[in-house]
Amino acid sequence: MAKVEINGKVIEAPPGQATIIEVADQAGITIPRFCYHKKLSIAANCRMCLVEVERAPKPVPACATPVSDGMKVWTRSPKALAAQKSVMEFLLINHPLDCPICDQGGECELQDVAMGYGGDISRFHEGKRVVADKDLGPLIATDMTRCIHCTRCVRFGTEVAGLPEMGATGRGENMRIGTYIEQNVTSEVSGNMIDVCPVGALTSKPYRFTARGWELRQTFAVSPHDSLGSHLSVHTRGGQVMRVVPRDAEPINETWISDRDRFSYEGLHSPARLTQPMLRTSAGGWEAVSWDVALEAVVNRLQNVMHQFGPGSVTSLVSPNATTEECYLLQRLLRGLGCHDIEHRTRQQDFRHSDKVIQYPSLGIPIAELEQQQGVMLIGCQIHSEQPVLGLRLRKAALAGTEVTAISPVGYDWHFPVLHDEVVLSGDMLSRLAGIAKAMMVNEAQDKTKIPVGAAAWLAEVHPTLNEHAIAKAWLAHERSLIVLGALAIHHPEYSQLSMVANLISQMAGAKIAVLSPGANALGAWLTGCLPHLLPGGKACASPAYPSNAAAEDKLIQQQAYVIWGLSPEDCIYAGHRLGQFVEARSVIVASAFRHPELDKVAEIYLPIAAPYETAGTFVNMAGTWQSVGAVTAPPGEAKPGWKVLRVLSNLFDIKDSDFETVEAVLSDCQKAVGELKPLLDSWDWWCPDTALVAKPQRHEKAEAGLVCVMPLPVYRTDALVRHAAALQKTQASAPPTIGMHSHTATALQLAERDSVSVQSALNEAVFPLRVDDHVPQDCIVLPSGFVETAVVLPYERVTVSLVKRGGESV
């Protein structure tokens, strides 16, 4: 270690590896800066951090000067202060004097530093520059005259996000920061540029001109949208959420958050919010009622259905974003009534392996260890859309040498280098994985003891390609590797086989398996028993609603009553089927923060429950960490936290030991029921005797009749709060649904860009504009899920496509 003296204080630091500014920060010594950021590369272009170093002929930038043994540094000497004040004067000569109207006022780094290093008068009498503002889209507002050319936004996009959307042109005071050919910024993490901007050049467009920093109260929260569990600071004024910003949590989200976490709070103010209980009238309208009347109606209707048809006639669909306490109390209530048909995996089709594997679908490793993997295989995973901040960690790993392999039914613009990018027909995903497994099996260096019994026979007719041999060879050489199953795999009709072949590969390669479950608290729902075949803690249910290995079609039996907790039709993969069932049901009870036009047609009772940030609760993230948060603000009107509603219903139904006074008491009871359940990914039982489950993988040489419909979930259509956030719904990622089709397929069908095209499924028919996209494999179409309009099609269903309009004219 080198001994460095800063302002007379001796500090030890690694020589040549640390800079003066890093050593000073660790010692609590303040050095002014603008362009330096601990997560970005060194630019040294603002020169605000000039310091005096012994024997140096002139002041040097502290951010770009490595320390060495015996170095002496002065940050507050007359020479250093003169240099810093001179730089400050140059930075301010062109800066507009608009602090009173600047959105950054009160929390601006330029203001803070100018108070310490700026002068009380200006010696600049020439005309100041004026820069036209840029339109970066609906999320980021610009006042580019305030820009001081620190290039933090440019470096964030290029280095961290992997999308070099911002850049600089010109030199000196003619330098301009902007986007390439005036395009909008489209990154899923673009809002972090607001945080890294040290001045008011980039600010939040939804938050703009609504509050000042000193008026706000900040409260800790975690992400209510994805299973990473990013740490957030929610800023409120007068009980209203004004904005959401990141909170440093190095083991989880570092210093970043996704735009979905940052801007979704707008949904809290949606006109679709439910603010009081409502009952359907005999005339078919809606009537606002008191909580006593609404809860009494819930009890009477469920009791009538169960008395007439038995407890098995009630189904509950639960949002994977519900808190752990809500999940626990809901399953406790329903199981106390004898109802076991409880499900939170509302986008999944294939459940045939549920009783064989995965009791705890986690990441399998601590989140930070993702950067230490030598290889990562993404199976049906569009990681930047599913888990944007986790994608930033994977990008860091890939740039540091991690070999990434991607196998997906649709092409994707990766933000990092991918060694093997395999875009395959959806029906060939299983055969591609089987080919890699077989290539590992025949490798001469393979340890035969790692091959499960029966695997060789099952793979006997599989003949690996040269590419599959190359992937297998690389993966057998890795000592630390991770296989990631994403949403396009979880929602696949062959998910059971995909997961088990992935497990076979992991056993032979010595890799871990990660499951990126959708929702903020899917793991909490698993642990608390929101499943038809498992009780809290992974204990088997003695009387499950149906066999745990039933296919999704087998679960779509007509029930007499439905309890829908925090879900909308867009959240269900079988939305069209479900809505049809709701029409036929005797009672549909909806507990939600939002009204929905489709549910208005079928529901009988609306119970208004709190949205995220309005209730205390616990979320279990993908690493298995339990994170409890308090309520940031009160729910609007007569809406109540969901756990309180369930507590009262449990008392009304005479469920034993349900007198919970606090959410902490619910959590304590829940944790006792869950016990010490740990991830079981290392002990998956790969082989299953069910012949339907272990059907031999086959390569699809020719497509069958029709086109396979691949349905990725857009990043801003994942849950109701996001779908009601106005700014997020104006982004390109939330554009109205279109049909994506390869140019060769479109030519074969005599279709062209912007044609109106009809999609006919087994259920229904709908019309969408055509978008020609060569990321889509041939003989496939891509149609986004998460829209009511696209609920007529099931993911990976074969559909028929026909022309409706050629451009703007009917045919």
Side-chain angles (χ1 to χ4, degrees):
M1 301 289 285
K3 291 186 177 180
V4 184
E5 183 181 308
I6 303 180
N7 296 346
K9 183 178 181 179
V10 178
I11 308 165
E12 289 190 347
Q17 298 180 14
T19 60
I20 294 174
I21 202 168
E22 291 171 339
V23 175
D25 285 349
Q26 292 173 5
I29 299 172
T30 301
I31 298 177
R33 81 289 302 272
F34 291 118
C35 68
Y36 172 78
H37 190 282
K38 63 182 180 180
K39 294 291 183 179
L40 303 177
S41 64
I42 302 300
N45 53 10
C46 77
R47 308 315 257 194
M48 192 64 225
C49 64
L50 292 175
V51 295
E52 182 181 357
V53 176
E54 187 180 44
R55 293 190 297 274
K58 58 183 179 179
V60 299
C63 67
T65 305
V67 297
S68 59
D69 193 35
M71 177 183 281
K72 290 186 178 182
V73 180
W74 295 273
T75 68
R76 303 284 297 172
S77 67
K79 188 175 183 180
L81 285 175
Q84 293 161 0
K85 289 183 177 181
S86 296
V87 170
M88 190 75 246
E89 184 175 14
F90 274 111
L91 287 174
L92 290 177
I93 61 173
N94 273 314
H95 200 79
L97 299 176
D98 62 350
C99 293
I101 64 166
C102 177
D103 233 37
Q104 197 86 345
E107 48 190 2
C108 173
E109 293 180 44
L110 186 66
Q111 273 187 336
D112 295 340
V113 177
M115 289 296 292
Y117 300 89
D120 55 354
I121 60 172
S122 173
R123 295 184 291 174
F124 185 77
H125 301 291
E126 289 75 17
K128 292 194 174 190
R129 65 168 188 171
V130 176
V131 182
D133 295 335
K134 306 293 183 181
D135 184 5
L136 302 185
L139 305 181
I140 301 177
T142 61
D143 288 278
M144 301 312 294
T145 303
R146 301 170 184 159
C147 179
I148 61 171
H149 304 158
C150 71
T151 69
R152 281 188 185 181
C153 59
V154 176
R155 284 175 286 145
F156 172 82
T158 303
E159 300 166 9
V160 179
L163 284 175
E165 297 176 294
M166 300 284 282
T169 57
R171 299 183 65 187
E173 74 167 15
N174 295 318
M175 181 176 171
R176 301 289 185 267
I177 301 292
T179 57
Y180 177 64
I181 59 171
E182 303 299 323
Q183 290 183 338
N184 288 350
V185 172
T186 59
S187 169
E188 299 88 351
V189 291
S190 64
N192 291 289
M193 290 192 290
I194 298 170
D195 297 327
V196 300
C197 181
V199 295
L202 302 178
T203 54
S204 169
K205 190 171 283 188
Y207 169 75
R208 189 174 173 88
F209 303 141
T210 58
R212 288 296 195 181
W214 58 83
E215 301 175 320
L216 302 176
R217 174 186 177 186
Q218 65 175 359
T219 309
F220 169 72
V222 299
S223 168
H225 304 296
D226 61 51
S227 56
L228 185 69
S230 298
H231 287 199
L232 314 173
S233 282
V234 181
H235 292 182
T236 58
R237 184 186 64 183
Q240 183 177 2
V241 176
M242 306 303 293
R243 65 177 176 182
V244 176
V245 297
R247 180 176 291 215
D248 286 2
E250 195 64 30
I252 299 176
N253 59 297
E254 303 180 88
T255 62
W256 319 119
I257 59 172
S258 66
D259 290 352
R260 182 168 56 191
D261 291 335
R262 185 184 299 271
F263 298 107
S264 64
Y265 73 90
E266 280 193 300
L268 298 174
H269 317 312
S270 167
R273 284 300 303 271
L274 267 174
T275 58
Q276 52 191 350
M278 304 185 76
L279 291 182
R280 183 181 293 279
T281 65
S282 57
W286 287 95
E287 176 188 7
V289 297
S290 68
W291 270 105
D292 290 341
V293 173
L295 294 178
E296 183 179 356
V298 171
V299 173
N300 290 337
R301 298 191 186 194
L302 288 182
Q303 284 180 338
N304 290 338
V305 169
M306 290 188 292
H307 177 74
Q308 187 172 356
F309 300 98
S313 61
V314 179
T315 286
S316 179
L317 301 175
V318 188
S319 169
N321 290 334
T323 66
T324 302
E325 290 83 356
E326 289 175 284
C327 292
Y328 175 68
L329 288 179
L330 179 61
Q331 67 83 32
R332 192 176 186 273
L333 166 62
L334 292 172
R335 288 202 157 100
L337 299 174
C339 309
H340 297 283
D341 191 358
I342 311 166
E343 185 61 85
H344 75 277
R345 301 166 296 176
T346 56
R347 295 187 186 276
Q348 192 169 321
Q349 294 190 69
D350 187 3
F351 304 92
R352 292 172 294 167
H353 66 331
S354 293
D355 57 347
K356 297 294 177 184
V357 293
I358 319 181
Q359 288 194 30
Y360 197 115
S362 73
L363 186 63
I365 57 173
I367 294 169
E369 285 189 14
L370 180 64
E371 299 176 32
Q372 302 169 14
Q373 304 304 303
Q374 294 174 316
V376 174
M377 182 181 293
L378 303 175
I379 302 175
C381 179
Q382 297 181 330
I383 193 165
H384 287 290
S385 296
E386 297 177 42
Q387 306 282 348
V389 180
L390 189 68
L392 301 184
R393 280 199 186 272
L394 183 55
R395 171 176 163 78
K396 278 205 300 182
L399 294 176
T402 298
E403 295 182 355
V404 180
T405 299
I407 300 173
S408 177
V410 62
Y412 190 57
D413 288 327
W414 302 103
H415 302 170
F416 46 76
V418 176
L419 184 62
H420 299 281
D421 189 6
E422 303 288 313
V423 181
V424 300
L425 289 173
S426 61
D428 279 338
M429 288 183 67
L430 177 62
S431 62
R432 186 58 56 93
L433 290 177
I436 295 171
K438 180 63 174 290
M440 287 184 176
M441 192 175 297
V442 300
N443 190 288
E444 294 181 359
Q446 175 61 43
D447 183 358
K448 304 301 181 184
T449 62
K450 293 183 179 180
I451 303 175
V453 176
W458 188 69
L459 295 170
E461 299 177 9
V462 175
H463 303 289
T465 64
L466 292 176
N467 211 22
E468 290 162 358
H469 273 292
I471 295 173
K473 184 177 180 181
W475 269 71
L476 288 173
H478 296 151
E479 294 181 1
R480 297 182 309 278
S481 52
L482 184 70
I483 298 174
V484 181
L485 293 164
L488 290 175
I490 295 171
H491 304 158
H492 198 282
E494 293 179 338
Y495 175 47
S496 298
Q497 293 190 207
L498 289 174
S499 63
M500 286 196 287
V501 178
N503 183 62
L504 173 61
I505 294 172
S506 76
Q507 290 185 27
M508 292 192 290
K512 299 282 188 179
I513 289 188
V515 180
L516 296 187
S517 300
N521 197 34
L523 273 68
W526 270 92
L527 291 171
T528 54
C530 282
L531 296 159
H533 65 292
L534 290 181
L535 302 176
K539 302 175 184 69
C541 180
S543 54
Y546 34 75
S548 57
N549 60 352
E553 293 85 352
D554 300 329
K555 293 188 176 187
L556 289 172
I557 56 176
Q558 180 64 52
Q559 296 286 65
Q560 299 300 320
Y562 293 88
V563 178
I564 304 170
W565 194 267
L567 288 171
S568 300
E570 296 96 326
D571 299 315
C572 299
I573 199 170
Y574 282 87
H577 291 291
R578 287 295 188 192
L579 288 171
Q581 290 178 327
F582 295 161
V583 172
E584 300 296 327
R586 292 177 178 267
S587 185
V588 177
I589 299 162
V590 178
S592 177
F594 301 92
R595 289 186 66 171
H596 194 284
E598 295 298 322
L599 292 179
D600 280 352
K601 302 174 185 176
V602 296
E604 288 188 311
I605 304 172
Y606 265 127
L607 300 178
I609 59 174
Y613 310 131
E614 296 172 352
T615 179
T618 303
F619 297 88
V620 185
N621 75 357
M622 62 174 64
T625 303
W626 295 55
Q627 301 189 111
S628 296
V629 297
V632 174
T633 183
E638 296 182 32
K640 303 292 182 184
W643 72 270
K644 291 186 176 182
V645 176
L646 291 166
R647 190 266 315 269
V648 175
L649 279 173
S650 297
N651 287 329
L652 293 176
F653 277 109
D654 294 324
I655 303 299
K656 185 180 178 181
D657 298 329
S658 297
D659 295 322
F660 301 106
E661 295 296 328
T662 63
V663 71
E664 290 80 12
V666 179
L667 178 61
S668 177
D669 196 66
C670 170
Q671 290 177 327
K672 290 178 183 177
V674 171
E676 296 297 324
L677 182 65
K678 301 295 182 184
L680 299 178
L681 297 180
D682 289 338
S683 59
W684 280 15
D685 179 10
W686 173 80
W687 190 252
C688 174
D690 183 355
T691 55
L693 184 59
V694 295
K696 299 293 179 66
Q698 297 179 354
R699 299 189 190 273
H700 295 263
E701 299 292 341
K702 295 181 180 179
E704 302 172 19
L707 303 175
V708 176
C709 185
V710 182
M711 302 188 72
L713 181 62
V715 63
Y716 303 137
R717 302 295 301 180
T718 52
D719 57 73
L721 185 65
V722 174
R723 291 192 292 268
H724 285 89
L728 292 178
Q729 296 312 308
K730 295 176 183 176
T731 61
Q732 291 183 14
S734 294
T738 60
I739 295 176
M741 182 182 294
H742 195 281
S743 58
H744 292 173
T745 306
T747 301
L749 296 175
Q750 298 181 346
L751 300 175
E753 184 87 14
R754 295 190 299 276
D755 283 350
S756 294
V757 176
S758 171
V759 177
Q760 298 97 31
S761 68
L763 179 67
N764 211 324
E765 177 181 358
V767 177
F768 304 97
L770 180 67
R771 172 177 51 85
V772 176
D773 183 359
D774 285 349
H775 283 98
V776 181
Q778 296 185 46
D779 300 318
C780 290
I781 63 170
V782 169
L783 187 63
S785 60
F787 295 87
V788 173
E789 303 93 312
T790 62
V792 299
V793 185
L794 299 181
Y796 303 104
E797 182 181 5
R798 286 199 171 271
V799 297
T800 303
V801 174
S802 58
L803 179 66
V804 175
K805 289 183 180 180
R806 180 73 70 190
E809 299 181 0
S810 300
V811 295

